[in-house]
């Protein structure tokens, strides 16, 4: 029996444990320096992801997740994996302690989801932990308790084969981080969504989810899913994406020299306002890859209404030598060396598939763009049907709904005549008809005006709506032209971007203005940073003006367009605004009379 009490966990840091025989080794500095560094534990959902990925790496086929109070009180993951020896049960909490890789060369052909030996150390540092684990060939297991990273006790324990790790009181010793947590309900939803995404990545395992003591759902394993023609079980896909997709799932697979892909495409009748219905697995790893998501949107191209994204669950298999997993602190992104080739192949496979399967729902083509408001189309919104809002769907964005670009308008009498044409011509103009007048509206100029107005008001009142990214984005630090990081950081914060500088060479983007969808964060941030760096010399007022001059152009490609009817109502309200001649003008009926002649 081990009896080991420590206030500063010398067992973890000292040589005593490292020299014991176990599978876990502490990585060398050479390997450590090659790992993507950064914040591992942001919120309960990120803890869950690390624990479940550990269970999968341990070969588990049964995984039960039990959470209390949105994971803030407790997140417990139990598995039937291979368990840990008594030595490893202690050593696993050391920094850079891993059984999964040894040398830098192992990073190029990873077979496991984890590899940095960082997750448990990071989680242990900000919580209280109880670990019970037993290896199959042992009669007895080990129980370890830690608090704030310090070992409290280690003892033999009669436990089943496998591992049960409970994380309690997350952030109990870091109140500043605890403050960033959302309501328990919201954290619980994010935990559930993350678990479902992990379940999609591992169809060979049974998953059970228990919330506040009540079993909520379970998903049955499909051990042979890889050899199934149709890929993963459609029931699991529907359970994860929302039951409304069940009758719209199109089993899809394809192979080219660059990739092998299988899974389900959701027929374009069901779409979302964001990319969160796109679930992608690269070589078995759930990733949130912005570029691949955009690629899939491109492939669906003509089937989609503007501002809508498709839904799918796709397992991509790529040769190991083309994929680098070591690019993001939470391992949620990958770098694909032949990305362009993979994109091109993916687009071709999906396009050909959709054209063959669904020619009848083709809505428009590049030359005949889809109208903004498609009356009577069978399209459904995945958000409205599931009862989840876009922001609820994925833990990456704040649960507090970002302020809509338009305040809700409920005029007593609607001045807009319902017979007004909903055509947008030249991809830009539309008619707006009131009882007495006809107007021409330049939709694009109007939207630019609105967004600029909105952002200007937020900046001037010092209250830019911000949303935190679940997975902060990592950037190479740009050249600052002699300015300090702090001065740039301050300006960016006023504009709604929160950054940190974690090792002098890398920056992390932690929040972005709430008007934007998270998946565009990198592009928007880079553009905004460009404006700031060009103008930082000019002082706060002038700098803000410069930023506002460019803000519409920066945000334009990314904001969500409201319905055309709402645009028209709002434009009508503003038709006497001093700037309104930039976007809405009366149609000159006298002029028409003149050119057409007659009475
Ligand atoms: N559920 C589990 N079953 C068996 N062994 C586990 C389990 N969880 C963790 N371990 C062991 O503990 C080690 C440390 O886990 P940790 O998650 O900190 O690092 P990792 O998975 O190796 O890398 P990463 O930081 O990228 O997740 C693992 O390498 C593994 O040997
Ligand atoms: Mg791990």
């Amino acid at each position: 029996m081990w009896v080991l009490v420590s206030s500063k966990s010398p067992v973890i840091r000292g040589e005593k444990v490292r020299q014991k025989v176990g599978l876990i080794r502490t990585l060398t500095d050479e390997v450590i320096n090659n790992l993507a560094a950064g914040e591992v534990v942001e919120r309960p959902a990120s803890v869950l992801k690390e624990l479940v990925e550990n269970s999968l790496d341990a070969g588990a086929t049964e995984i039960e997740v039990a959470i209390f109070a949105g994971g803030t009180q407790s997140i417990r993951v139990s598995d039937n994996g291979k368990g840990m020896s008594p030595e490893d049960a202690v050593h696993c909490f050391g920094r850079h302690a891993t059984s999964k890789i040894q040398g830098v060369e192992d990073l190029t052909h990873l077979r496991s989801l984890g590899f940095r030996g960082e997750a448990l150390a990071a989680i242990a540092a900000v919580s209280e932990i109880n670990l019970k684990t037993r290896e199959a060939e042992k009669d007895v297991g080990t129980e370890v308790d830690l608090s704030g990273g310090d070992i409290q006790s280690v003892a033999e324990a009669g436990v089943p084969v496998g591992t049960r790790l409970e994380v309690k009181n997350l952030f109990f010793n870091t109140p500043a981080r605890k403050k960033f947590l959302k309501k328990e309900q919201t954290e619980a939803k994010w935990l559930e969504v993350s678990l479902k995404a992990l379940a999609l990545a591992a169809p060979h395992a049974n998953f059970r989810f228990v919330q506040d003591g009540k079993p909520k759902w379970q998903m049955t394993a499909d051990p042979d899913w890889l050899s199934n023609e149709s890929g993963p079980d459609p029931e699991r896909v529907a359970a994860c994406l929302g039951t409304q997709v069940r009758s719209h799932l199109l089993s899809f697979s394809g192979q080219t020299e660059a990739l092998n892909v299988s899974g389900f495409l959701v027929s374009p009748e069901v779409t979302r306002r964001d990319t969160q219905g796109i679930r992608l697995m690269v070589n078995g790893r759930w990733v949130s890859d912005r570029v691949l998501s955009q690629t899939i949107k491109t492939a669906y191209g003509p089937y989609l209404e503007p501002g809508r994204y498709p839904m799918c669950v796709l397992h991509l298999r790529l040769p190991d030598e083309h994929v680098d997993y070591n690019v993001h602190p939470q391992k949620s992104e990958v770098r694909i060396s032949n990305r362009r080739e993979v994109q091109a192949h993916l687009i071709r496979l999906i396009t050909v598939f959709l054209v063959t399967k669904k020619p009848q729902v083709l809505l428009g083509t590049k030359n005949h763009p889809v109208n903004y408001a498609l009356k009577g189309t069978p399209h459904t919104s995945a958000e409205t049907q599931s009862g989840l809002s876009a922001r609820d769907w994925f833990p990456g964005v704040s649960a507090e709904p970002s302020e809509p670009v338009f305040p809700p308008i409920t005029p007593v009498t609607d001045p807009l005549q319902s017979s007004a044409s909903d055509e947008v011509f030249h991809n830009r103009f539309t008619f707006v008809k009131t009882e007495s007048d006809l107007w021409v509206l330049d939709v694009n100029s109007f939207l630019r005006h609105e967004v600029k107005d909105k952002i200007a008001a937020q900046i001037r009142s010092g209250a830019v709506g911000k949303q935190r990214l679940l997975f902060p984005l990592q950037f190479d630090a740009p050249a600052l032209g002699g300015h300090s990081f702090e001065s740039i950081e301050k300006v960016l914060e006023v504009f709604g971007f929160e950054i940190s500088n974690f090792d002098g060479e890398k920056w992390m983007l932690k929040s972005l203005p709430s008007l934007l969808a998270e998946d565009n964060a990198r592009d928007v941030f880079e553009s905004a940073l460009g404006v700031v760096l060009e103008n930082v010399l000019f002082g706060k007022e002038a700098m803000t003006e410069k930023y506002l001059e460019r803000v519409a152009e920066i945000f334009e490609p990314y904001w969500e367009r409201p319905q055309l009817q709402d645009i028209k109502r709002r434009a009508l309200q503003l038709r006497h605004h001093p700037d309104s001649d930039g976007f809405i003008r009366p149609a000159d009926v006298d002029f028409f009379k003149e050119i057409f002649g007659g009475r």
Side-chain angles (χ1 to χ4, degrees):
M1 158 140 164
W2 290 56
V3 183
L4 206 152
V5 180
S6 149
S7 61
K8 273 285 158 234
S9 64
V11 171
I12 290 176
R13 301 203 183 96
E15 288 306 302
K16 207 166 125 213
V17 165
R18 289 185 200 176
Q19 284 161 8
K20 280 184 181 285
V21 187
L23 294 174
I24 300 179
R25 300 272 176 279
T26 302
L27 294 171
T28 60
D29 286 348
E30 188 202 0
V31 186
I32 293 169
N33 293 336
N34 274 285
L35 296 175
E39 198 76 72
V40 176
V41 189
E42 277 266 310
R43 56 183 353 112
S46 38
V47 171
L48 177 75
K49 175 170 179 285
E50 295 297 343
L51 298 186
V52 171
E53 289 192 341
N54 278 348
S55 297
L56 291 169
D57 280 346
T61 51
E62 292 284 345
I63 297 177
E64 184 192 270
V65 172
I67 62 161
F68 275 94
T72 55
Q73 219 179 76
S74 154
I75 303 169
R76 196 185 65 201
V77 176
S78 316
D79 68 49
N80 67 343
K82 64 182 174 158
M84 282 183 265
S85 66
E87 296 81 12
D88 284 349
V90 174
H91 198 178
C92 66
F93 297 105
R95 285 206 67 195
H96 305 301
T98 181
S99 58
K100 301 174 190 174
I101 64 165
Q102 289 190 2
V104 180
E105 64 287 353
D106 295 334
L107 287 170
T108 53
H109 52 269
L110 284 172
R111 287 276 159 266
S112 52
L113 300 167
F115 52 87
R116 309 149 310 172
E118 186 72 22
L120 290 185
I123 296 166
V126 293
S127 66
E128 294 169 334
I129 287 194
N130 173 259
L131 166 71
K132 293 189 180 109
T133 186
R134 174 157 79 92
E135 293 175 299
E137 64 276 17
K138 301 273 169 58
D139 297 332
V140 69
T142 312
E143 178 166 9
V144 183
D145 282 293
L146 295 94
S147 177
D150 292 339
I151 294 183
Q152 304 300 310
S153 64
V154 182
E156 283 183 348
V159 291
V161 173
T163 300
R164 167 173 285 198
L165 198 147
E166 183 171 13
V167 175
K168 293 173 285 181
N169 290 330
L170 186 63
F171 300 141
F172 79 99
N173 52 354
T174 52
R177 283 162 86 177
K178 193 165 187 154
K179 243 182 25 210
F180 275 111
L181 294 182
K182 302 287 175 199
K183 283 186 297 208
E184 285 173 8
Q185 239 178 330
T186 312
E187 295 292 347
K189 196 166 274 178
W190 291 349
L191 280 163
E192 191 175 350
V193 169
S194 293
L195 183 61
K196 286 179 170 177
L198 290 158
L200 284 175
H204 63 277
N206 285 308
F207 282 82
R208 264 191 310 281
F209 182 58
V210 181
Q211 187 175 356
D212 299 317
K214 292 189 202 92
K216 215 169 159 198
W217 48 256
Q218 69 175 46
M219 292 181 195
T220 312
D222 177 4
D224 306 320
W225 74 278
L226 269 178
S227 50
N228 289 352
E229 179 83 342
S230 54
D233 177 10
E235 291 312 326
R236 181 172 294 208
V237 173
C240 293
L241 290 188
T243 43
Q244 76 279 12
V245 306
R246 182 66 190 87
S247 51
H248 296 278
L249 290 177
L250 306 170
S251 166
F252 168 71
S253 65
Q255 197 171 358
T256 72
E257 56 281 19
L259 85 157
N260 191 325
V261 53
S262 66
F264 287 92
L265 300 174
V266 176
S267 166
E269 284 100 343
V270 189
T271 58
R272 289 184 61 88
R273 267 190 303 150
D274 54 32
T275 54
Q276 307 313 335
I278 300 177
R279 290 278 176 253
L280 294 175
M281 272 59 67
V282 174
N283 293 351
R285 182 185 299 271
W286 165 38
V287 296
S288 326
D289 190 296
R290 189 177 55 97
V291 180
L292 285 179
S293 298
Q294 281 299 335
T295 304
I296 289 162
K297 181 177 184 216
T298 307
Y300 269 74
Y303 293 94
L304 296 172
E305 293 177 44
R308 305 296 301 180
Y309 285 86
M311 302 173 78
C312 63
V313 172
L314 293 181
H315 286 261
L316 271 59
R317 311 232 154 242
L318 307 171
D320 273 340
E321 61 271 23
H322 288 158
V323 193
D324 183 0
Y325 306 102
N326 178 28
V327 290
H328 189 268
Q330 280 131 5
K331 298 172 286 185
S332 58
E333 289 175 14
V334 289
R335 189 178 296 129
I336 299 171
S337 60
N338 60 338
R339 184 181 282 280
R340 280 184 197 288
E341 197 188 345
V342 169
Q343 283 177 274
H345 288 215
L346 199 53
I347 290 177
R348 184 156 55 80
L349 287 172
I350 295 179
T351 311
V352 169
F353 177 85
L354 287 176
V355 166
T356 328
K357 280 269 181 200
K358 287 264 138 189
Q360 71 279 18
V361 291
L362 194 68
L363 295 176
T365 64
K366 266 212 157 90
N367 298 329
H368 301 92
V370 181
N371 290 339
Y372 281 81
L374 286 152
K375 284 188 222 138
T377 55
H379 285 230
T380 355
S381 158
E383 298 90 340
T384 46
Q385 287 206 356
S386 66
L388 284 170
S389 82
R391 273 159 215 293
D392 285 335
W393 181 249
F394 192 68
V397 290
S398 150
E400 286 147 20
S402 61
E403 276 183 71
V405 176
F406 295 93
I409 297 165
T410 42
V412 183
T413 51
D414 191 345
L416 184 68
Q417 296 292 293
S418 54
S419 62
S421 162
D422 281 339
E423 281 294 313
V424 173
F425 47 96
H426 291 285
N427 238 346
R428 177 172 168 191
F429 301 107
T430 189
F431 283 114
V432 186
K433 191 171 168 292
T434 61
E435 213 174 358
S436 51
D437 299 304
L438 183 64
W439 303 75
V440 181
L441 171 65
D442 179 341
V443 178
N444 297 352
S445 302
F446 167 74
L447 287 171
R448 273 199 294 276
H449 169 272
E450 277 295 280
V451 170
K452 181 176 168 187
D453 229 42
K454 179 94 185 163
I455 293 172
Q458 286 189 354
I459 291 178
R460 295 204 172 104
S461 65
V464 175
K466 279 186 229 144
Q467 55 173 325
R468 270 181 85 73
L469 305 178
L470 172 64
F471 300 124
L473 289 178
Q474 188 175 312
F475 294 84
D476 290 333
L480 296 184
H483 299 287
S484 68
F485 169 78
E486 287 72 25
S487 61
I488 305 289
E489 180 195 21
K490 240 184 243 153
V491 178
L492 282 168
E493 184 162 6
V494 173
F495 299 157
F497 298 92
E498 270 181 338
I499 53 170
S500 63
N501 185 353
F502 65 83
D503 66 358
E505 288 182 5
K506 298 271 185 229
W507 284 12
M508 299 282 270
L509 174 63
K510 297 192 295 191
S511 303
L512 77 158
S514 51
L515 278 173
L516 296 166
E518 187 192 9
D519 46 303
N520 312 120
R522 193 176 289 270
D523 291 344
V524 176
F525 175 68
E526 280 170 359
S527 309
L529 177 65
V531 179
V532 168
L533 289 175
E534 274 166 37
N535 297 291
V536 69
L537 274 183
F538 292 106
K540 194 175 158 212
E541 277 302 305
M543 166 87 221
T544 304
E545 284 314 311
K546 297 270 180 204
Y547 179 71
L548 288 176
E549 272 168 29
R550 301 274 301 281
V551 78
E553 169 203 325
I554 295 174
F555 281 36
E556 187 190 10
Y558 307 115
W559 72 61
E560 278 173 16
R561 290 185 171 222
Q563 290 291 317
L564 187 62
Q565 292 292 312
D566 293 334
I567 292 176
K568 288 182 175 185
R569 277 192 198 95
R570 177 77 178 151
L572 271 182
Q573 283 191 334
L574 293 179
R575 64 189 183 276
H576 304 302
H577 185 284
D579 293 340
S580 66
D581 62 347
F583 53 83
I584 188 164
R585 292 165 194 247
D588 189 341
V589 178
D590 290 338
F591 170 74
F592 290 131
K593 279 186 190 152
E594 205 171 291
I595 53 172
F596 289 114
R599 290 197 306 139

